[in-house]
Amino acid sequence: MLYVFLSICCSVIVSILLKLAKRYQIDVFQAITWNYSMAILLTWVFLKPQIQSLQSAPFYIYSLLGFLLPTLFVVIAASVRFTGIVRTEIAQRLSLFIPIIAAFLLFDEKPTTLKIIGIVLGFAAILCSIPWKRERYKTQRAPANSWIYLFVVFLGMGVIDILFKQMALFKGVPYATSLLLVYVISFVIGLLGLVYLFATKKAKFSWPHIFFGWILGIANFGNILFYLKAHQALASSPSIVFSAMNIGVIVLGSVVGLMVFKEKLTVINKIGIALAIAAIVVISYSNIL
């Protein structure tokens, strides 16, 4: 369970860094772009991808992921900034219901009673987590439509999860190699965006943004590395890793958000946290049966 704990910590550290970015005047887009350069390096060092013939590789999946990852990262940063770590983590973790629903609608999987209960609890948790009232933070007022960030995070993470699952099912290319290619595409897309911003003088090159991005990349890759190692160490109990990871991130993220950043939650929001944990437990248990 040590790997699960480390993965949880890395996941929450990513949210903390995104929360601190505005405070230290870090350009989030630059940081996210350079984050992928570090991810490429760490993937090469720790996962040792094999470079081989890629003629049959699913480049349409790589391209979609390469575009969606940095794009959604920016949205997650905005969500953390305007709605807080707690709500954003819940939206990310509950996105797991999208591939479950897709399995019912697209792949003719038969819904079970437990999975239906889990989905209902999950959507109830999302509704309870939405900041229905406009809230004032220390530096600025959150926009009235800040719930849209949560919705996009929820939907985007679900789509990315489906694409990663399809990538993992493709046996023609090792997973580590596919992951490396996705990071390379994400980095290239980010660099093209930066070139445009620099050329139009809408952004300035600065080493602090790069260093911040590299730290972000270490935490981001650590989350993936330790999650994979947890599944390897507990190969016979994937549901334990799955549930412990998702519940752990929600709990730790809530503690950090409430105690460190003094995020304010209503009673309904707190009920949403409880419902989110219950939904993950139900879905995890349904996968055992």
Side-chain angles (χ1 to χ4, degrees):
M1 295 298 286
L2 174 62
Y3 290 132
V4 175
F5 175 73
L6 292 174
S7 181
I8 291 169
C9 290
C10 288
S11 178
V12 175
I13 287 172
V14 169
S15 294
I16 292 173
L17 290 171
L18 293 175
K19 185 83 170 180
L20 294 174
K22 181 66 177 180
R23 180 182 299 178
Y24 294 102
Q25 299 180 328
I26 296 296
D27 184 336
V28 171
F29 184 72
Q30 287 194 54
I32 289 172
T33 298
W34 292 110
N35 138 81
Y36 288 112
S37 68
M38 179 59 70
I40 291 170
L41 174 63
L42 294 178
T43 299
W44 184 268
V45 172
F46 288 98
L47 299 183
K48 296 178 173 56
Q50 301 174 3
I51 304 302
Q52 56 185 45
S53 175
L54 301 173
Q55 292 182 352
S56 61
F59 279 102
Y60 70 98
I61 295 179
Y62 299 160
S63 300
L64 284 172
L65 283 171
F67 172 76
L68 286 174
L69 284 177
T71 303
L72 189 63
F73 220 144
V74 173
V75 177
I76 290 173
S79 180
V80 168
R81 177 180 169 189
F82 290 124
T83 69
I85 291 176
V86 181
R87 297 185 181 99
T88 303
E89 290 289 8
I90 291 174
Q92 289 186 72
R93 297 302 147 186
L94 290 181
S95 65
L96 64 95
F97 294 108
I98 290 180
I100 292 174
I101 294 172
F104 297 151
L105 300 178
L106 302 178
F107 304 109
D108 297 323
E109 182 178 323
K110 294 182 179 179
T112 64
T113 302
L114 277 179
K115 286 186 177 180
I116 292 175
I117 292 173
I119 291 170
V120 171
L121 287 173
F123 279 109
I126 293 170
L127 292 175
C128 290
S129 302
I130 292 174
W132 296 105
K133 294 183 179 180
R134 206 173 185 182
E135 300 178 30
R136 183 180 294 278
Y137 287 86
K138 293 180 180 179
T139 56
Q140 65 187 73
R141 180 182 289 272
N145 59 350
S146 58
W147 63 269
I148 293 176
Y149 293 110
L150 294 173
F151 177 75
V152 174
V153 169
F154 169 74
L155 184 62
M157 288 297 294
V159 172
I160 285 174
D161 189 37
I162 292 173
L163 291 173
F164 266 119
K165 280 183 169 60
Q166 289 182 325
M167 188 177 82
L169 291 174
F170 185 80
K171 303 302 182 183
V173 180
Y175 186 79
T177 304
S178 295
L179 189 63
L180 178 68
L181 291 172
V182 169
Y183 284 151
V184 169
I185 293 172
S186 296
F187 184 48
V188 170
I189 290 175
L191 280 180
L192 291 175
L194 286 183
V195 169
Y196 169 77
L197 292 175
F198 294 154
T200 56
K201 298 183 179 180
K202 293 181 179 179
K204 293 182 180 180
F205 178 87
S206 177
W207 280 104
H209 303 316
I210 296 178
F211 290 138
F212 192 92
W214 286 342
I215 295 171
L216 185 65
I218 292 172
N220 194 23
F221 178 79
N223 175 31
I224 295 173
L225 177 65
F226 292 127
Y227 186 66
L228 291 175
K229 285 187 173 294
H231 273 294
Q232 291 172 353
L234 299 170
S236 60
S237 306
S239 60
I240 293 177
V241 176
F242 172 81
S243 57
M245 177 65 190
N246 286 282
I247 293 172
V249 168
I250 290 176
V251 172
L252 183 58
S254 299
V255 171
V256 171
L258 293 171
M259 298 188 67
V260 178
F261 294 101
K262 309 300 180 184
E263 294 178 1
K264 294 181 179 180
L265 297 179
T266 64
V267 174
I268 293 179
N269 294 155
K270 293 175 182 178
I271 292 173
I273 295 174
L275 288 174
I277 294 173
I280 292 170
V281 170
V282 171
I283 289 296
S284 300
Y285 185 68
S286 69
N287 289 329
I288 297 176
L289 298 178

